Amino acid sequence: MRKINLWLWGLLALALALRLWKLGQADLWQDEIGFLNITQPTSSPWVVFLSYWDLCISIAQLPFSGVMQNIYINMAGVDVVNSRFLIRFPAAILGALSVIGVFKLT
């Protein structure tokens, strides 16, 4: 069992490395641009939460992701929105961590 776990961790690390290698090479997609607009990079996380809360039924998305993106942008600097790699970086890392969580659950 331990050998299988090491193999799976290695596979996950390889997949994440390949994902990060190609992360910033494509333009932002329409949904990524929409998400970036909703996170309002120049606003505070509280303002983003309140605006999401007003729209959560119509956009079918809870405020947590938008607030987290807003906090990341404010911590990294607003110029991060000009980098396709840096704006996608948190989603790639959190996506890899979610695979770990699903693996542990199963």
Side-chain angles (χ1 to χ4, degrees), residues 27-38:
D27 290 333
L28 293 178
W29 291 24
Q30 179 180 352
D31 60 336
E32 291 173 316
I33 294 169
F35 180 64
L36 185 59
N37 287 333
I38 291 172

Side-chain angles (χ1 to χ4, degrees), residues 19-69:
R19 173 81 172 121
L20 291 177
W21 177 43
K22 296 288 187 175
L23 192 60
Q25 293 184 0
D27 290 333
L28 293 178
W29 291 24
Q30 179 180 352
D31 60 336
E32 291 173 316
I33 294 169
F35 180 64
L36 185 59
N37 287 333
I38 291 172
T39 59
Q40 305 169 26
T42 57
S43 298
S44 73
W46 181 246
V47 170
V48 173
F49 175 81
L50 291 177
S51 64
Y52 252 85
W53 194 254
D54 291 338
L55 298 171
C56 69
I57 292 177
S58 63
I59 63 174
Q61 192 170 3
L62 292 175
F64 182 73
S65 59
V67 171
M68 292 305 293
Q69 176 92 347

